[in-house]
Every structure is written in structure tokens, then in C-alpha cells.
Amino acid sequence: MTPAPAAALTTPGKALSYSSDDIKRMLPHRWPMLMIDRAYDVVPGVSGRGIKSVSVNEPFFAGHYPDHSIMPGVMIVEAMAQLVAVVYVAEIVENGTAPEDGEAASGNDPASGDGDASRNVGYLGSISTMKFSRLVVPGDQLTLQATLGQRLGGLRQVKVRASVGSELAAAGTLVVTTGRKG
């Protein structure tokens, strides 16, 4: 049985925190594509914040760019999308149910210990009005924010932001699927 994160033992409706080990149980991503180190202020199914510590050892820096390391914008977007997935899956983990229909996905009941909540992570459907306003370089710590919006059938609109300190690095809207097939 996979233990629930320590944060799961808090009062319902309270903002939760998830460590990198918790996140690995929630998402199907693994190194080098796991782009979020910690999540906090997570209100399951509603919003959350996260941290991505940017290291010179990230594999993309070898080619982007060898003499002037810059985190690719698509990787910033991926980090924000993974925070969205944590906020979404947190609702399933905390409630033991899938948010769309009120029932746990078949074989994915996290409370039973035999399920895999990460199977509920959907896909990135679109990136809208994304603007990049600051270069992100090794040594920076990205603070991520995600606020889930309305459901549009099997899609969900999400407002996302990434900043370094008080400087905005990227902001925009994502559309994600609320599950995956196959």
C-alpha cells in the first residue's frame, strides 16, 4: 500500500504541501522530465504553487545554449503544466474520487493501495497567450502558480505563472485534458 503524503492527513479544504517523493507518486514523469521539485499551498482541484530549482546540470543546458545557458520556454511551460497535474491529482488523492464523475477511476483508487493516481494525469491540449518576460538561467528558483478554471467537457482551462523572485518569467493560459485514454 502506497502511503498518502503527510499533507493528506490535514483538515479538508486546507492548503496542502507535497514533497518531491509525493510528486513522484502523483505524476508519471521521471528524470529528466520531472520538472517540479515541490508543491505547496495546494487546494486540491482549485490552485497551487510549486518550486522548480534550476540547476546547471539540467540536460537541456548542454545545447541551449552551450555558452549562454537559458532554460527553454517549453521547459518552463512543462514545469507549469506539471504543477497543474499535481493540483488536479491532489483532488483524486485527497478525496479518493475522480473529480468529473465522483467515482474513483477504475483500478486507480488511491485509498485501496492498489491504484496509481498518476494514471489520471491528462495531457497538455493547448498553450494560449503565453508570454515570456525574463530569461531563466542556472541558479534561479522558479516559483510556479496555477489556478484551474472552468471545465469545457473533458478539457480544463488553467491560468499559470512562473516567476523568479519578484520578477515575472512567464504567464499565460493552458488547456489540459482532465484524463487520458489508452
Side-chain angles (χ1 to χ4, degrees), residues 73 75-85 130 132 144-146 160-162 170-172 174:
M75 301 309 278
I76 296 170
V77 171
E78 177 64 22
M80 292 185 288
Q82 288 182 22
L83 175 61
V84 170
M130 188 63 61
F132 300 93
L144 312 167
Q145 293 177 265
V160 292
R161 295 173 55 91
L174 304 178

Side-chain angles (χ1 to χ4, degrees), residues 43-105:
V43 178
V46 178
S47 63
R49 295 178 186 268
I51 296 292
K52 165 62 181 161
S53 296
V54 182
S55 167
V56 71
N57 294 320
E58 306 278 356
F60 48 77
F61 284 134
H64 199 268
Y65 298 100
D67 296 327
H68 184 60
S69 300
I70 300 168
M71 185 175 186
V74 296
M75 301 309 278
I76 296 170
V77 171
E78 177 64 22
M80 292 185 288
Q82 288 182 22
L83 175 61
V84 170
V86 167
V87 172
Y88 178 77
V89 172
E91 187 173 20
I92 296 166
V93 169
E94 301 306 322
N95 298 331
T97 60
E100 284 80 27
D101 59 12
E103 294 181 26

Side-chain angles (χ1 to χ4, degrees), residues 81 122-128 154-156 173-178:
Y123 301 112
L124 181 59
S126 73
I127 303 167
S128 303
L155 302 175
R156 190 108 188 233
T173 303
L174 304 178
V175 174
V176 297
T177 63
T178 55

Side-chain angles (χ1 to χ4, degrees), residues 113-131:
D114 63 357
D116 179 1
S118 72
R119 289 190 226 169
N120 292 289
V121 173
Y123 301 112
L124 181 59
S126 73
I127 303 167
S128 303
T129 64
M130 188 63 61
K131 300 216 183 224

